[in-house]
Amino acid sequence: MNPFAEYAISALLLFGGAFTLVGAIGLARLPDFYTRLHGPTKATTVGVGAIMLSSVIYFSASGESIDISEILITVFLLMTAPVSANMLAKAAMHIGVKTVDNTEGHPWEQ
Amino acid sequence: MLDRLNFPQPGLSLTLFVIWQILSEGVSGGSIVLGLILAWLIPQLTHGFWPERPAVVKIWRMPIYVMRVLKDIVVASCSVAWLILSLRTPRPAFINYPLKLEHPLAISILASTISLTPGTVSADISDDNKTLLIHALDAASDQEVIDAIHNRYEKPLMEMFQ
């Protein structure tokens, strides 16, 4: 395989892995439910995006045809991540999950 | 029965059919039959959920908007990652965002964009479709977040759906 492709794949895998790790750390470190919601939604968008790109480069560089189905996976993730984040936030407001003390503003009554 | 054998949304049906051909490995007789069934069945089932089509959609502006959102996702991800790794306490806030967009499809695109860009999640929309509740992870001031969203995302969407 082309060495440039190998460097690009390694860099993208490290980048994606690092972001997924930071998302997981955020899940553990952030103070309340609503702030924790931000960690995983971000890790999916950038982390999975980078890992998907490296997969596309790998299969293209190793001689097989360019596979679009990986790009579709990312597109579906990008379409569904906001919906699940929205449903989680709505459900949390519905059962009245407590917010951390220094939060400005208030959730709505459901 | 026969009058149900139509395609209420040809665009959606075509998209579903093409996506199914890409997902199934290689186009074959079976994938075409199943693709046709899905292209007919899914629009029938989801028909009631779709809002009416907007009068004018300037679809050629969409790629520019998507590129801008992708760039923002990467840039803002880095700042959220930095916030998580630094030991500073975040300043979370619930923000009432006054919507200027009117079409339901445009509003849902804006809400999804807000959720995808790191640091903000759209949590709810008021019953009259005029206010969006946003949770920001780290907001210096409400007005700053509102202005940023309005200038970067809502204005291009307003131009697209006029």
Side-chain angles (χ1 to χ4, degrees):
Chain A
M1 199 191 298
N2 189 333
F4 287 109
E6 284 185 25
Y7 286 128
I9 292 165
S10 323
L12 281 168
L13 279 179
L14 282 173
F15 186 74
F19 263 97
T20 315
L21 176 68
V22 170
I25 294 173
L27 197 60
R29 197 184 84 77
L30 291 170
D32 70 349
F33 178 83
Y34 297 100
T35 48
R36 276 184 209 133
L37 207 53
H38 293 273
T41 45
K42 279 65 237 187
T44 14
T45 42
V46 177
V48 174
I51 293 168
M52 179 277 301
L53 265 182
S54 69
S55 156
V56 171
I57 296 174
Y58 175 81
F59 282 107
S60 309
S62 61
E64 291 169 48
S65 61
I66 297 172
D67 201 349
I68 331 175
S69 47
E70 281 130 345
I71 299 172
L72 273 182
I73 295 171
T74 317
V75 171
F76 288 142
L77 256 176
L78 290 183
M79 282 162 77
T80 51
V83 180
S84 53
N86 182 248
M87 290 328 279
L88 283 168
K90 269 185 95 91
M93 288 193 293
H94 185 69
I95 58 171
V97 173
K98 289 226 165 28
T99 55
V100 69
D101 288 338
N102 66 342
T103 305
E104 285 188 36
H106 298 282
W108 290 350
E109 293 288 324
Q110 295 287 313
Chain B
M1 181 62 206
L2 271 177
D3 59 335
R4 301 224 62 181
L5 279 175
N6 56 354
F7 293 94
Q9 289 152 296
L12 178 64
S13 295
L14 186 66
T15 313
L16 286 169
F17 183 75
V18 171
I19 286 176
W20 189 256
Q21 302 314 315
I22 297 171
L23 285 178
S24 48
E25 288 178 7
V27 179
S28 64
S31 76
I32 288 176
V33 171
L34 199 53
L36 278 175
I37 293 173
L38 290 172
W40 172 76
L41 187 67
I42 294 176
Q44 297 287 346
L45 293 175
T46 59
H47 190 50
F49 298 112
W50 283 86
E52 275 178 43
R53 281 185 66 85
V56 190
V57 187
K58 293 170 184 150
I59 195 79
W60 63 89
R61 286 178 188 268
M62 205 62 193
I64 305 169
Y65 181 76
V66 171
M67 292 315 291
R68 165 178 284 187
V69 171
L70 287 179
K71 184 185 140 251
D72 282 7
I73 287 175
V74 175
V75 171
S77 280
C78 295
S79 66
V80 170
W82 180 244
L83 174 81
I84 289 174
L85 293 178
S86 70
L87 294 169
R88 188 163 67 79
T89 325
R91 293 158 294 181
F94 278 100
I95 298 165
N96 291 307
Y97 181 81
L99 280 169
K100 295 194 177 60
L101 288 167
E102 280 162 8
H103 194 271
L105 189 61
I107 294 175
S108 67
I109 293 177
L110 180 69
S112 299
T113 310
I114 291 169
S115 291
L116 275 179
T117 47
T120 48
V121 167
S122 53
D124 205 356
I125 184 161
S126 63
D127 292 335
D128 58 358
N129 287 2
K130 291 249 159 56
T131 317
L132 202 63
L133 180 66
I134 297 171
H135 184 268
L137 178 59
D138 190 47
S141 79
D142 288 12
Q143 201 54 44
E144 204 176 285
V145 177
I146 291 173
D147 288 346
I149 291 172
H150 180 74
N151 291 326
R152 282 198 76 77
Y153 310 123
E154 196 174 19
K155 271 188 188 160
L157 282 173
M158 282 164 81
E159 281 167 22
M160 225 183 295
F161 284 87
Q162 281 308 322

